Amino acid sequence: MSLDVTQVLLSAQSADGAIRKHAEESLKQFQEQNLPGFFLSLSSELANEEKPEESRRLAGLILKNALDAKEQHRKNELFQRWLALDAGAKAQIKGLLLQTLTSPVASARSTASQVIAKVAGIEIPQKQWPELIASLLSNIHQVQPNVKQATLETLGYLCEEVSPDAVDQDQVNKILTAVVQGMNASEANSDVRLAATRALYNALGFAQVNFSNDMERDYIMRVVCEATQSPEVKIRQAAFECLVAISSTYYDKLVAYMQDIFNITAKAVRGDEESVALQAIEFWSSICDEEIDILDEYSSEFTADSDVPCFYFIKQALPALVPMLLETLLKQEEDQDLDEGAWNLAMAGGTCLGLVARTVGDDIVPLVMPFVEENITKSDWRQREAATYAFGSILEGPSADKLAPLVNIALNFMLTALMKDPSNHVKDTTAWTLGRIFEFLHGSALESAPIITAENCQQILTVLLHSMKDVPNVAEKACGALYFLAQGYVDAGSASPLSPFFQDIVQNLLMVTHREDAGESRLRTAAYETLNEVVRCSTEETAPIVMQLVPVIMMELHQTLEAEKLSTDEREKRSELQGLLCGCLQVIIQKLGGMESTKYAFLQYADQMMELFLRVFACRNATVHEEAMLAIGALAYAAGPNFAKYMTQFYQYLEMGLQNFEEYQVCAITVGVVGDLCRALEDKILPFCDGIMTQLLKDLSSNQLHRSVKPPIFSCFGDIALAIGENFEKYLIYAMPMLQSAADLSAHTTATDDEMLDYTNQLRNGILEAYSGILQGFKSSPKTQLLMPYAPHILQFLDALYNGKDMDDTVMKTAIGVLGDLADTLGVHAGPLINQSASSKAFLEECLASDDPLVKESADWASIAITRAVSG
């Protein structure tokens, strides 16, 4: 088809919607009818110096998007589609892309480098395009700075797209040499130097071998540190970004450089542009993160991971680091408290100070308190706010013994400031600090000498309720403080000091939700979150007040459903409110439905509530569906078998939730609700099981569903089997092969990182919960023999887990439980199999000796069941 590609690309950017739409349709058609021609046309457009810049840039952008996507399954499709193209066409396209790197037009070069990296990301792991890196490196020796700059940019993107193990060390060395040379102070062209510095940031993951070599590491570090002194602000910022990345990737290699790094970061924080100073502070925050992680691993029993020693950089730097951070606190912006997304020097400094406190604990207190005492009463709001922020920042980390005496003195002062300080800034930070006091220094941690007592509780509440009427940002922080105050009494039993004020608290929070300006500063959301926490932590004594809340919240939800003809903006606000109200009802259901004294009276509302929830589903909004689903799960749990009467109406929405691949959180929550329904309805769920099982099996077979939903689906099989017992028979032939193949996969997965290991353990746990539920469901049924063919595989799975040595405690507990279930359900038939199993004896012994009481309890039970089965 003949198509004037240039014209179509320009039309696709037209201000006229109709012209734009027509152009987009033409491009889509071209792509569908002749993919190689489509790619060739776009790459020719991008490479053609006579074409307008706008059409070239869009051509490159469309090419890039045709090679990559966010969703994994779509990404795979696009990868395969490219790999399947004719080799001649691909070579031509790649030639045009490389040619574009020499273009005098900056945007064309930059777009081409992104597309080249995307193609490399597909081909290099497949051992294709082997000459690419060499051809890019030969460009580095070109005289023209624009070619050098574009090539370095391409190398940077390439390192972002390709995994380090796909490139051999010899090529890595050459890339790093080219990049580091481009960063050198001797490079006269600042665009080249900037591109090289940004490329190094992406290439650091490739530099493991080079960072292990002292000379190479010294050279890289010297060049990075020199670049932080460049006259160009963008280069200085990019160089500090490299230092931040080095601090987390190569923490254990930094000892020799810390003194120099301290000097250059201190200079930047005190005198450089904000964008550079922020990165200099970020370096220290990053070091704190590393040391907090290492020290956490030291203190936990699981020491296999702490192979990196802690160098205590923060502790050593404290005397100089803390004063530097305290200075930044005085550099606030006038209206930062009103801007939710604000991030500036003062906020970065305070955040870093908080991380330092968590890293070194008590040692920070004497370094910060003089600053607090000196500035807290000054006439300039900046000094009062900085002092309050400094105090609030160090409340997590140091011991309660160290902080309690200071907080006891500060509390009255803070309460007065929150009522009377003329500055909103100071009030905002004061309310935040009170919240931190209640979060870290209140509740079970301080039973012997509580900071909040029956005497001062009333004063605290009076101030907080008063502040909820203040401007939205202060009111929001006051709600947050009340949230933590309530949370501290969650274990107070019947004697919560909040009980006498409960009615007042609830009424004030409801008033906040109705404020005209509750949409600002997340105020409405904060008020509902606090109301939920107040209800969750309430006692039997105040249950009648919570009961009065039910019709109030139901009425509000009803009103949102009556609104008609809303604009998009209003519809969004309504959805948000519906989500908050459903969330609030869920907490109330759990509270009142969980207490014998209120359960019966509360369930009188169940019909009306269910009707409201079903109407909410008709509104078609994902977040609201999540909240409504969770509320229904709670209601099912409270109503028990009586929930069956709602199932016919509710089932269609349950099915919709299970089919919702796109909004996978909705799908995951719905799977959880199926579990709640199984526990509530038991065998009354049977009429709906065909539909539910069909959908769950479909979900598991889909490559579109987010992987995080798969573990809960497996464990849901167990819930269903427990609920319907031997009626699960007809699903065995579908469910068991799925479980077996997933078990094989998860037993032999070598996790490459913590995230992968967590997921693998979640998957294992889901599979084991399924086996456990199925085994228990068939117990004492005449049909237990149906499970015998699956027993050897289950035992093999347990062997593989035991031998893999990378189970967490949860998996260990479930796994030993499954061994017990197998023995318990199959009895003497399982005995010989268990005796033959390679590691069941050793596994049981290990679990019996476990320090984890839950693992030990599970193992004690399993031991009895196994002894019966083996000796029978």
Side-chain angles (χ1 to χ4, degrees), residues 148-262:
K148 229 175 182 174
Q149 177 268 332
T151 305
L152 286 163
E153 191 176 343
T154 309
L155 287 168
Y157 287 135
L158 184 129
C159 292
E160 202 175 6
E161 294 293 334
V162 178
S163 114
D165 49 18
V167 182
D168 67 55
Q169 188 57 40
D170 180 47
Q171 288 198 311
V172 169
N173 293 343
K174 287 176 177 160
I175 291 173
L176 284 169
T177 303
V179 168
V180 177
Q181 275 174 353
M183 284 177 72
N184 229 319
S186 59
E187 172 55 64
N189 184 293
S190 61
D191 289 342
V192 171
R193 200 173 175 199
L194 177 60
T197 311
R198 287 179 174 163
L200 179 67
Y201 178 85
N202 287 331
L204 283 168
F206 287 70
Q208 299 284 356
V209 173
N210 314 81
F211 261 79
S212 302
N213 173 313
D214 293 355
M215 273 175 61
E216 292 184 30
R217 183 178 64 243
D218 285 349
Y219 182 52
I220 295 172
M221 291 301 291
R222 197 192 81 223
V223 170
V224 173
C225 290
E226 279 172 4
T228 65
Q229 306 303 304
S230 157
E232 292 290 326
V233 66
K234 282 183 173 168
I235 295 175
R236 295 200 300 277
Q237 182 184 337
F240 273 112
E241 283 169 6
C242 288
L243 276 182
V244 173
I246 290 168
S247 70
S248 60
T249 316
Y250 301 110
Y251 167 85
D252 57 332
K253 302 276 191 288
L254 288 175
V255 179
Y257 315 106
M258 283 312 268
Q259 189 55 55
D260 290 340
I261 293 175
F262 181 83

Side-chain angles (χ1 to χ4, degrees), residues 44 48 59 121 150 286 342 358 395 402 454 480 486 490 501 533 610 616 626 630 671 709 734 781:
S44 307
N48 189 334
S286 173
R358 286 175 53 201
L395 292 171
K402 187 82 172 170
V490 67
F501 315 106
E533 201 55 22
M610 201 57 202
V616 166
E626 281 182 48
L630 288 165
V671 170
V709 190
Y734 305 106
S781 141

Side-chain angles (χ1 to χ4, degrees), residues 592-613:
L592 298 176
M595 292 194 288
E596 284 308 316
S597 56
T598 49
K599 187 172 181 171
Y600 180 74
F602 162 72
L603 285 171
Q604 308 298 310
Y605 290 111
D607 287 3
Q608 289 163 274
M609 234 181 242
M610 201 57 202
E611 190 186 331
L612 285 171
F613 293 145

Side-chain angles (χ1 to χ4, degrees), residues 830-850:
L833 290 170
I834 291 173
N835 275 335
Q836 288 158 22
S837 140
S839 54
S840 56
K841 194 165 177 227
F843 186 19
L844 182 63
E845 279 165 10
E846 190 176 309
C847 292
L848 285 168
S850 168

